[in-house]
Amino acid sequence: MSHHHDSLLARQDPRLDVSDLYVFRGDRGTVFVLNVNPLSGTGGFHDDESLYEIKIDTDGDGVEDITYRFTFAPIAFAPFSTRGSQRWELRRFDGAAARDRDAAGTVLLRGVTEEPSELVRPAGGGPEGEADGALRAWAGQAGDPFWIEGTVVTAVKTALAEGTAPDLADFDPRQAKNLFADTDVQAIVLEVPDADLAGAQEIGVWGVSVLATDAGGWRQINRCATPLLNTLFVLEDADRHIDFNATVPGEDRQRYGAEVQAAIERGAAAVGAVTDPAAHAAHVRDLLLPDVLRYEVGSKAHFGWEQRNGRALTDCTPEAMFALILGAPVSMGLDASAATGVPRDVFPYLAPSKAER
């Protein structure tokens, strides 16, 4: 029986909309946060033949060597103590299997949304509870840690498209507002022991959502790594048959490099803060593509203008991207206090949802 997953409506399901990816050092290992369904944050996760994947490149070629895959299913008769409405399962895939969506992988954890995380002792890890042996996951509704000012991002996006300096003449920073203020997301939080990352000192990470097709295969619906990349450069354009979300990072420079470089050069030249816009554009293109979030394992994460190492929950990534691309700072008039809630110091790290605040 056809499930009509190839319909436009199915592919536009907000539960498959990957909004942000974060990678940082946690209490016991490396933390990956994959957020979906921005603005509403309700309705749970897509649980009809869909996949949520965290992809990890351990050798710098833009191709995944490890995949952590979450799948969700409804709970028909939830026990009285269960706050969540969905079951989840986490599997790991290595090598060629990391790129094969029909591979079986290894089941690592099972749990229920909104419930406290489970703690296991992976093979080769230390005793349960020790920093080198704990693997834990959580999925549920949380406050959206992202913040951005709509007027500013529109001005920067227009500048890149038209080759002009951002027009902020009518923007009053004192009136700045976060487009995502007081909103929730559906979040997947995974913390893994550093030893589970194949001995890599630096990793490249991206997240994807995937949906089954009517023909029996899989269609990648969304992918996300570098904040605002697709927003600022409009790499998703059906009229020009550009489907950024369906492609893979290893192809990024070939597919999108020329367009990204040209936009950076136009914008930087108009701003006039760099002496050689062409050289600047080529350099930034190579920093942004392939689109992976690079992180030095075991270090403090920070996504900034001059240095980008993973992404912490309180990093002001829009301003970092504006400055990196244009060669000059562009202020939004906001800081981390504009985000929804305050991130927790302990797992699962994200701010509580509105219902919990």
Side-chain angles (χ1 to χ4, degrees):
M1 182 181 293
S2 172
H3 41 56
H4 304 294
H5 283 170
D6 282 338
S7 71
L8 181 61
L9 182 61
R11 298 199 303 271
Q12 291 180 338
D13 190 313
R15 296 173 298 173
L16 297 169
D17 180 7
V18 182
S19 57
D20 286 286
L21 175 73
Y22 299 84
V23 182
F24 54 90
R25 181 69 183 172
D27 290 339
R28 298 173 178 170
T30 300
V31 179
F32 307 94
V33 177
L34 186 66
N35 289 343
V36 301
N37 199 359
L39 292 177
S40 67
T42 59
F45 297 89
H46 199 289
D47 54 20
D48 182 14
E49 296 188 76
S50 56
L51 315 172
Y52 295 89
E53 297 180 331
I54 296 168
K55 302 282 194 178
I56 302 172
D57 168 26
T58 61
D59 56 14
D61 62 356
V63 177
E64 62 267 45
D65 302 293
I66 301 170
T67 294
Y68 288 101
R69 178 180 299 161
F70 284 81
T71 53
F72 293 84
I75 298 177
F77 300 100
F80 180 78
S81 62
T82 298
R83 292 187 297 128
S85 60
Q86 293 175 292
R87 294 177 286 114
W88 55 260
E89 180 179 85
L90 168 64
R91 291 176 181 255
R92 173 173 168 145
F93 303 79
D94 292 271
R99 303 177 286 279
D100 181 359
R101 292 196 168 108
D102 293 316
T106 302
V107 177
L108 298 180
L109 288 173
R110 292 186 175 99
V112 176
T113 53
E114 309 293 347
E115 287 289 291
S117 65
E118 297 185 42
L119 184 64
V120 300
R121 189 167 52 198
E128 184 173 317
E130 287 191 2
D132 62 348
L135 181 146
R136 49 189 178 176
W138 178 91
Q141 192 170 344
D144 192 344
F146 184 68
W147 74 91
I148 196 167
E149 218 296 326
T151 301
V152 178
V153 71
T154 299
V156 173
K157 183 176 178 179
T158 301
L160 292 173
E162 300 180 355
T164 60
D167 182 4
L168 294 169
D170 296 328
F171 172 62
D172 183 356
R174 295 170 298 180
Q175 303 299 318
K177 295 181 180 179
N178 174 20
L179 285 176
F180 297 91
D182 200 32
T183 62
D184 288 340
V185 291
Q186 290 292 316
I188 294 171
V189 183
L190 172 65
E191 185 166 8
V192 306
D194 294 342
D196 284 13
L197 299 175
Q201 294 183 336
E202 183 177 270
I203 56 176
V205 187
W206 64 103
V208 300
S209 61
V210 183
L211 187 64
T213 68
D214 293 339
W218 299 95
R219 180 188 180 101
Q220 185 171 292
I221 303 300
N222 227 218
R223 70 168 162 122
C224 180
T226 306
L228 294 180
L229 181 70
N230 202 355
T231 299
L232 292 175
F233 295 105
V234 196
L235 300 179
E236 190 78 12
D237 190 336
D239 292 338
R240 293 186 294 154
H241 304 287
I242 298 175
D243 193 356
F244 173 83
N245 282 309
T247 57
V248 296
E251 302 172 352
D252 282 349
R253 286 185 186 170
Q254 178 182 355
R255 286 179 177 271
Y256 314 111
E259 184 171 348
V260 168
Q261 181 175 346
I264 295 171
E265 184 173 353
R266 288 195 302 268
V271 171
V274 298
T275 56
D276 188 341
H280 169 79
H283 174 66
V284 174
R285 173 206 62 199
D286 290 346
L287 292 177
L288 297 179
L289 303 177
D291 182 24
V292 300
L293 204 56
R294 295 180 176 87
Y295 173 66
E296 183 182 342
V297 177
S299 68
K300 182 178 180 181
H302 178 66
F303 192 101
W305 173 12
E306 298 180 337
Q307 182 181 12
R308 288 154 304 285
N309 179 44
R311 181 182 178 186
L313 295 173
T314 57
D315 287 339
C316 187
T317 51
E319 289 187 2
M321 286 292 288
F322 301 157
L324 177 66
I325 292 167
L326 297 174
V330 179
S331 175
M332 298 189 299
L334 300 172
D335 58 24
S337 65
T340 302
V342 179
R344 290 175 276 207
D345 294 328
V346 297
F347 187 87
Y349 305 110
L350 293 168
S353 66
K354 287 188 289 186
E356 297 177 289
R357 292 195 294 274

